[in-house]
Every structure is written in C-alpha cells, then in structure tokens.
Amino acid sequence: MKRSLLIACSAALALNAQVFELGQVEVVANKEGSKTSDNNVAVITQEDMQKNEIKRLSEVAESTAGLYVDKKGPRAEQNFYVRGFDARRVPLYIDGIPVYIPYDGNADFGRFTTFDLSRIDISKGSSSVLYGANTMGGAINLITRKPTRELEGNIGYGFETGKSSDTFGNNVDFNIGSKQELFYVQAGGSFMEDQGQQLSNDFDTKVTGNEDGGRRENSVQRDKKFNIRVGFTPNDTDEYVISYINQKGEKEQPYYTGIYKNYNQAKRFWDWPMWDKESIYWLSHTQFENSLYVNTKAFYDKFKNDLDAYSPSVFHSHYRDKGYGGGIEIGGNIGDKDTLKFASSYKFDQHKEHDDGEPVQTYEDKTYSFGLENTYAFSEFTRLILGISYDTRDAVKAQEYGKLTSNQNTLYDFEVGKRHAFNYQAALKHSFDGNDELSLSFAKKTYFPSMKERYSKRFGRNEPNPFLKPEVANHYEIGYARNFGDNLRIESAIFYSKVKDAIGEHNIVINGTTLAQAINVDKADYKGFEFAANYIVTKDLEMGGNYTYLHAKYKNTADTRIYDIPKHKGFVYIDYKILPKFSVYLSQYMTSSLYSNSQSATKLGGFGVTNIKFTYNPLESLSVEAGISNLFDKNYEYREGYPEEGRVFFSNIRYKF
C-alpha cells in the first residue's frame, strides 16, 4: 500500500457524558486551568485518550509521567509500571471494583479498551486506604460514564494499516445513554481487531529463523466488550446502581526474534483463544442529615482463559477463575473542619486450572480490609490527610497435580495459612495563594504474594513456598504544582520508595535436583522525580510534556538491576489549530536505554517515537482524523527479542449526538 494518509470513516466516544462520580475512590479536586490538585494522582481524561490514540489501557503509559511500558513478550501481555511497581502491586479497578486476575494478581491491560470510559485515575505510591488491600505501589481506577441528557450518545469507527495489507486493524464502538427524573440508563459496546503487527523496515530478519519481516508472525488480537448500567436516583443526593460488563478476547503470542537462538522462548509457540471476563456489580450512595453518608458495593467477577501450547511441548491449559465480595463506606463531617471515612471490604478469590487429561486443581483465598481516613482542614489553604488500614488474607485451599511421594501423579493439598498487614499514611497539602499546592506525604503499604508466587512449580523449575510474607514499601514524596495565570501549569514531584521483604529467588536442592524457590529476601529502592508542564501559547496553540527520572535497584542481591525500566523517559506534544475547523497534533515519546533479562542481561538502546494526527471538525458533533504513528519507522524493543510496530497509518471518524 502507498505510504499516504488513510482518510477513512470512523466514529468514537463523545465528550458529552459526565464522570460516574459513584465510581470514584479518591476524589480529585479539579481547579480551573488544571486537571488535578493532587500531585500523586494522574488523571487521564476523555480528551487525553482521544488525542493520544489511547484505545487500550496499556497505551496510557507513554504519555503519562511516572508510568513505564511493560510488555511481557513471552505471554503477549501489555501492562505498565507505576514508578517501578508492576501491575500485581498496582491493582486494577473499574468504578472502584477490583478486577485483577485472582491467580497471579495481574490484569492484561491490553485487553481493557477505553471507549466506554470517562476518566482514568492512577494513584502513584500513596493511594487511598479506601481502595482496600494490596495497593503497595498505587492503584488504577477506570471510571465509566453517566448520562446527563434525555438522549445522548456517540458512534465511531477506526481503521489502521502498515505497508503490508495483512496488517490492517478495525475498531467500532458506540455509547448511548438516557437520564430521566428518577433513573438513568447507560450502555456501550466495542469491537477491536488487529490482523497483524507491522514491523519496521529496519528490523533485522537474519537474527533468528522465527521472523521474515513485514507482517509480524502470530500477532493477531481481538477484543469485544459490552456494558450496561441502570441507575435509580430517587432524589438529588441518593443513587443506586447496577452495572454489567462482558469482555471477550483472544490473542496470539508473537515469536521470539532475538539474538539468543538457544533461549527457551525462541522455541515457544503459544496462543490464547479465550481471554474472557464477565462482571456484575452494585454501587449505592445514601445521604443522611448532618453530612453523614453510606456507600455500599457488591460484585461478582468471572474469568475464563485458555492457553494452547504447540512448542516445545504440546498442552492445552484451562483457567476458570471467579471472585466476589462487597464492602461498605461510612463518612461525614465530625466538625466544621474535620471529615472522617471508614471502609471495610471482603473479597473471595477462586482459581481453577487443569490441562487436558488432568484433574482440576483449586486455589482459594479470602481477603478482608478495614480502613479509616481522616481529613482535617486547618484553613482554606491547608489540610492534613491521615489514613490507617488493616488487611488480612486467609489462604483457604491450594491444590497441585504432580508427583509427591512416588512416581505416580496425584492431586494433593498444600499447607495454607493467614497473613496480616497494617498500613498507615499521612499527607500534608498546603496552598500559598490558591494557585498552587505543596504536598508532603508518607505511606507504608503492603502486598500479599499471589497464588502463583506461592504455589506455582513453573513447569518443574520451582519449589513452591506457601508461606511467603507480605512485601512492604515505605513511600516518601514531595510534590509541588502551580498555575501561572490561565495559560501555564507546572507539576513536579520527588519520590523515594524503600521496599523490604521483596520476593526474590534462591536455589535449593531436593532429591539431587536444584530448584528455584521464592523467598522474602530482597530489599529494593526506587527514587526519582517527575516534571510536567502545559502551556496555552495562544487560543490556537498549546504545547506541553513531561519527564520522569527513576533509579531502581535491589540492595542485597548479586545482580542489583531491576529489569525493563529505563532511567529516563519523556513525552512532548504540540496541538495547533491551523484553521477554525482543522488542527494538527504532533507528539514525541522518548526513553533511555534499559536492561532486558532474557537468556542473560541485554542492554537495549534508547529510542524516540514520533506520532502525528490531523483532525477536521466539519460540525461540532463530527470529527474526522487521519495520522501516522511511528512516523519515522523506528525499530525498537521494550523486551529483548520482541520488536514493536513500525510505521502505521490510521484514521478515525467520531460522531456524537
């Protein structure tokens, strides 16, 4: 196909629906000319998602300070780190409801599309104790939509392709809502398909025999999503809501193409024909006199996952997980300047797995959390936020199928037990003149090891350790943000996180065989700073960007490197309205070199990726877009042996009503 912009029909989300307030956990105080007054909470709006072509949650990382892309090539997963902490330690929520996977604590962010979202809140380090357990490195909350009119909605279509016609992708989505006097209804759906990844012209096809360039082998992925919500609003303050979300995904694992031809990943050929999630949840808000309120939640979540392995061994693995639970939050003013909130939650997780021809193995955990948060306003410009929480995880059941005391495979039980964690935090926020905010904070946060970390044998290479202790992180942060008039805003933060009892590995010998075992052996430091600026130069020109520095290392291991995280990353953009109805958006993502650990530590070079998009708005309700991602066809990697896409042409059309 010729290298010209594709101007195709498309449509997407409108900007007319409001944020679903009941889905918020941390109430981010917006100020005129700023996105947030809380420096440790990154707020990604609908407008941000549309400008930066963020159609999957994983794509948030490139344009957001403090976030780092995490591509798990051998598992075809797309995630991101938050100030160095991975997705297990920064759990995912939808409207405050936990949706991470019970077995390994992960959630493949590439499977979560953004078409139905009003906002994404990412808490870095010191997240609210109201979230519940396991928020050691922060929390990610996907906040959905709420209608504001009797009838509103949007519809959209997008198309993309590389130079190879076999690399095209489509996405179609819709949202529709209605707000009546006593109730509202919101529904939406999307379908997103990538027929193949376009490799850069600079990709070296001679490294391994797994890839010949052009279209990336085994790189198809598809995702479908449908959601519906019904809300009852008997008065101006109370709200009672039930929501349903159904996701169906499938993905292929692109082959390893790196320099280590004998690396075990070079021979791994896996596919996931099923990655399905189904969630139903209840949220309510009841307001009483004297500012007292009660919020409740209840949820049920199912996850179905199939893995087909073709090499080096052939097997078909099946996961069937479920989680359910609920919680209550009570809050109100206990004085003219004092607000107190109490929250408790319960979550039951069950993981079932088996390969074809094997019995089903079952793992079950119960997690309880109790949190208390107090906000005291010394004055209009100064407030102190204190939080404490107590969490406990009760491991109820854990089974394995394999050889225990004889050469005969059998289904047996692990020993199980309880673990406890106590967390506390404090934040002082002060404004000098109403146009800025200085924030000083400390937080002690914990993480309960996942079922996989405690019990997995990792294809016979690992000896399980059911009694891993919680990891503990102490976070320290100084942040400052300021508005200079209506045109310029800056945000900055210096942070330091000290982790103890981090999970590492040591070797043990059992019956003459050396195996790895996870233990609480490591200590780690994460320290760095962030800076972001947005400047409205004229009514037609806006520019801005952010920079993050992160130095991360283990303290008491022979190899102190923490892999897959660069020291430097940056993002800059220019948004220019050339004509009243025609604009151009140019962005540049940059990262320094990093170490990737495949067969051995490999240093990957730094890179920069340029994107450009043109937008035409013939009507206020209609937009047509065309652009190019990776404009200069850069060949780059986040994981050694797993190259990213080269130059891709895309287009969208969006209509709202």
Side-chain angles (χ1 to χ4, degrees):
M1 176 169 286
K2 294 182 180 179
R3 296 184 183 180
S4 59
L5 293 179
L6 302 172
I7 304 180
C9 297
S10 156
L13 285 80
L15 302 177
N16 50 358
Q18 72 176 41
V19 172
F20 178 47
E21 297 95 338
L22 199 52
Q24 298 181 83
V25 176
E26 299 191 77
V27 179
V28 180
N30 290 314
K31 294 182 179 179
E32 186 177 352
S34 69
K35 295 178 183 176
T36 174
S37 66
D38 297 307
N39 295 325
N40 71 320
V41 181
V43 176
I44 296 91
T45 64
Q46 276 188 13
E47 183 181 8
D48 297 328
M49 289 182 256
Q50 182 174 326
K51 281 186 176 181
N52 292 298
E53 289 294 304
I54 298 171
K55 297 180 179 180
R56 302 181 186 273
L57 173 60
S58 54
E59 295 165 349
V60 166
E62 292 185 350
S63 57
T64 305
L67 273 57
Y68 295 85
V69 174
D70 178 20
K71 294 288 185 73
K72 293 178 171 60
R75 296 190 60 84
E77 289 183 352
Q78 306 172 44
N79 292 90
F80 53 76
Y81 297 96
V82 177
R83 290 181 177 173
F85 292 92
D86 65 19
R88 292 171 296 173
R89 293 155 179 86
V90 187
L92 180 64
Y93 300 80
I94 297 179
D95 294 327
I97 300 296
V99 294
Y100 52 84
I101 306 304
Y103 179 56
D104 61 10
N106 261 319
D108 183 352
F109 295 166
R111 309 277 65 80
F112 290 83
T113 54
T114 63
F115 301 106
D116 60 333
L117 303 182
S118 64
R119 202 174 78 193
I120 302 171
D121 287 355
I122 302 176
S123 302
K124 297 178 279 190
S126 178
S127 58
S128 173
V129 297
L130 303 179
Y131 273 112
N134 272 356
T135 58
M136 187 176 89
I140 303 162
N141 192 20
L142 311 183
I143 304 175
T144 55
R145 296 159 163 254
K146 180 180 177 179
T148 59
R149 302 184 179 97
E150 287 189 3
L151 180 63
E152 65 182 45
N154 55 80
I155 187 169
Y157 174 75
F159 179 80
E160 66 177 34
T161 187
K163 65 178 181 179
S164 170
S165 60
D166 294 330
T167 59
F168 72 89
N170 290 280
N171 62 265
V172 61
D173 64 274
F174 76 92
N175 288 277
I176 187 167
S178 175
K179 183 181 185 302
Q180 305 296 323
E181 183 179 357
L182 296 178
F183 71 93
Y184 63 85
V185 179
Q186 177 75 46
S190 63
F191 171 73
M192 193 166 185
E193 177 184 47
D194 294 328
Q195 284 287 356
Q197 176 183 337
Q198 175 66 56
L199 290 173
S200 166
N201 276 342
D202 295 332
F203 173 75
D204 186 356
T205 62
K206 299 178 181 179
V207 177
T208 69
N210 285 344
E211 184 58 67
D212 59 1
R215 179 187 181 276
R216 185 81 159 94
E217 302 297 333
N218 220 50
S219 59
V220 174
Q221 53 183 335
R222 297 182 183 90
D223 292 280
K224 304 174 186 176
K225 188 176 184 181
F226 173 76
N227 64 85
I228 187 168
R229 163 177 299 133
V230 178
F232 175 53
T233 52
N235 52 51
D236 292 338
T237 60
D238 297 352
E239 190 171 353
Y240 306 90
V241 181
I242 188 165
S243 302
Y244 173 76
I245 301 175
N246 191 310
Q247 299 174 236
K248 295 186 181 297
E250 57 183 286
K251 60 181 179 177
E252 298 176 339
Q253 177 211 309
Y255 304 147
Y256 174 80
T257 66
I259 60 177
Y260 301 108
K261 295 185 179 181
N262 295 322
Y263 182 39
N264 60 355
Q265 306 295 349
K267 304 172 185 178
R268 176 186 282 185
F269 302 143
W270 286 4
D271 291 334
W272 285 262
M274 179 188 292
W275 197 104
D276 295 354
K277 255 182 114 33
E278 190 175 13
S279 304
I280 185 168
Y281 56 95
W282 159 273
L283 294 170
S284 75
H285 175 84
T286 304
Q287 190 74 45
F288 298 95
E289 295 181 0
N290 301 321
S291 79
L292 177 67
Y293 72 88
V294 176
N295 290 349
T296 65
K297 64 181 178 182
F299 59 90
Y300 180 80
D301 184 81
K302 291 195 301 183
F303 174 61
K304 296 181 180 180
N305 184 218
D306 285 347
L307 165 63
D308 291 340
Y310 305 103
S311 175
S313 58
V314 178
F315 64 90
H316 303 283
S317 179
H318 311 280
Y319 284 6
R320 298 295 183 264
D321 293 3
K322 69 178 180 181
Y324 60 81
I328 187 170
E329 178 184 326
I330 303 172
N333 297 331
I334 57 175
D336 293 339
K337 300 180 178 181
D338 213 354
T339 302
L340 187 66
K341 299 178 181 179
F342 168 78
S344 66
S345 62
Y346 164 78
K347 189 172 191 286
F348 173 82
D349 289 321
Q350 182 186 77
H351 168 71
K352 290 188 174 184
E353 68 170 77
H354 73 282
D355 291 352
D356 286 352
E358 294 183 355
V360 175
Q361 301 135 63
T362 302
Y363 306 79
E364 295 177 348
D365 282 346
K366 295 179 181 179
T367 305
Y368 305 85
S369 181
F370 306 89
L372 191 66
E373 187 173 86
N374 180 248
T375 301
Y376 185 82
F378 294 96
S379 69
E380 181 184 356
F381 290 155
T382 306
R383 56 195 169 108
L384 176 65
I385 305 171
L386 301 174
I388 57 172
S389 68
Y390 173 76
D391 306 325
T392 181
R393 187 206 61 215
D394 185 3
V396 179
K397 187 176 187 178
Q399 295 179 318
E400 179 63 73
Y401 178 70
K403 296 179 176 63
L404 185 59
T405 57
S406 67
N407 290 326
Q408 185 76 24
N409 284 332
T410 185
L411 186 67
Y412 61 89
D413 292 299
F414 289 104
E415 292 186 71
V416 294
K418 287 186 177 182
R419 288 296 185 186
H420 309 272
F422 182 66
N423 308 290
Y424 48 87
Q425 58 195 64
L428 179 65
K429 298 179 182 291
H430 174 72
S431 176
F432 294 96
D433 58 9
N435 293 310
D436 66 347
E437 182 177 84
L438 174 68
S439 175
L440 307 174
S441 66
F442 165 79
K444 173 184 176 287
K445 309 285 279 187
T446 51
Y447 163 70
F448 291 124
S450 67
M451 295 175 179
K452 182 176 181 178
E453 288 168 312
R454 286 174 280 154
Y455 306 120
S456 176
K457 287 193 171 183
R458 301 178 190 270
F459 299 101
R461 302 188 303 270
N462 190 70
E463 176 64 18
N465 184 359
F467 299 106
L468 282 170
K469 297 186 298 182
E471 294 183 340
V472 180
N474 291 317
H475 301 287
Y476 306 84
E477 181 178 344
I478 301 174
Y480 182 71
R482 183 171 186 84
N483 295 327
F484 295 89
D486 295 330
N487 294 344
L488 176 63
R489 176 173 174 82
I490 62 168
E491 299 178 5
S492 60
I494 301 173
F495 57 89
Y496 172 56
S497 299
K498 188 176 182 65
V499 179
K500 67 176 182 178
D501 292 330
I503 298 170
E505 289 186 349
H506 76 147
N507 292 331
I508 60 174
V509 178
I510 298 178
N511 297 327
T513 302
T514 301
L515 300 173
Q517 185 179 50
I519 61 173
N520 297 96
V521 65
D522 288 338
K523 294 181 179 180
D525 284 350
Y526 301 83
K527 52 189 175 183
F529 66 89
E530 301 168 6
F531 178 81
N534 300 89
Y535 181 40
I536 301 175
V537 183
T538 69
K539 65 180 181 64
D540 296 325
L541 177 62
E542 180 182 347
M543 59 179 61
N546 58 71
Y547 166 76
T548 306
Y549 169 80
L550 177 64
H551 181 69
K553 67 176 182 178
Y554 290 116
K555 300 288 288 184
N556 58 344
T557 57
D559 185 0
T560 62
R561 286 183 289 243
I562 294 179
Y563 290 93
D564 306 313
I565 303 176
K567 282 188 177 181
H568 310 274
K569 66 153 282 194
F571 175 80
V572 293
Y573 72 88
I574 297 174
D575 190 2
Y576 180 50
K577 184 177 289 186
I578 303 172
L579 297 170
K581 296 184 178 182
F582 185 70
S583 62
V584 59
Y585 182 77
L586 181 69
S587 66
Q588 177 79 23
Y589 170 68
M590 301 156 285
T591 182
S592 65
S593 60
L594 58 84
Y595 280 94
S596 180
N597 191 16
S598 47
Q599 184 136 322
S600 63
T602 303
K603 189 173 184 179
L604 304 179
F607 59 86
V609 176
T610 306
N611 306 305
I612 189 170
K613 179 165 69 174
F614 297 92
T615 301
Y616 176 57
N617 297 102
L619 302 171
E620 184 179 354
S621 59
L622 177 65
S623 67
V624 181
E625 301 174 340
I628 307 174
S629 59
N630 197 353
L631 179 63
F632 300 109
D633 201 27
K634 179 71 176 178
N635 182 50
Y636 64 101
E637 295 175 326
Y638 293 106
R639 288 285 180 105
E640 191 275 326
Y642 296 92
E644 297 298 310
E645 279 202 287
R647 184 185 294 116
V648 172
F649 309 96
F650 66 86
S651 59
N652 305 290
I653 187 169
R654 298 181 165 91
Y655 177 71
K656 64 181 180 181
F657 56 89

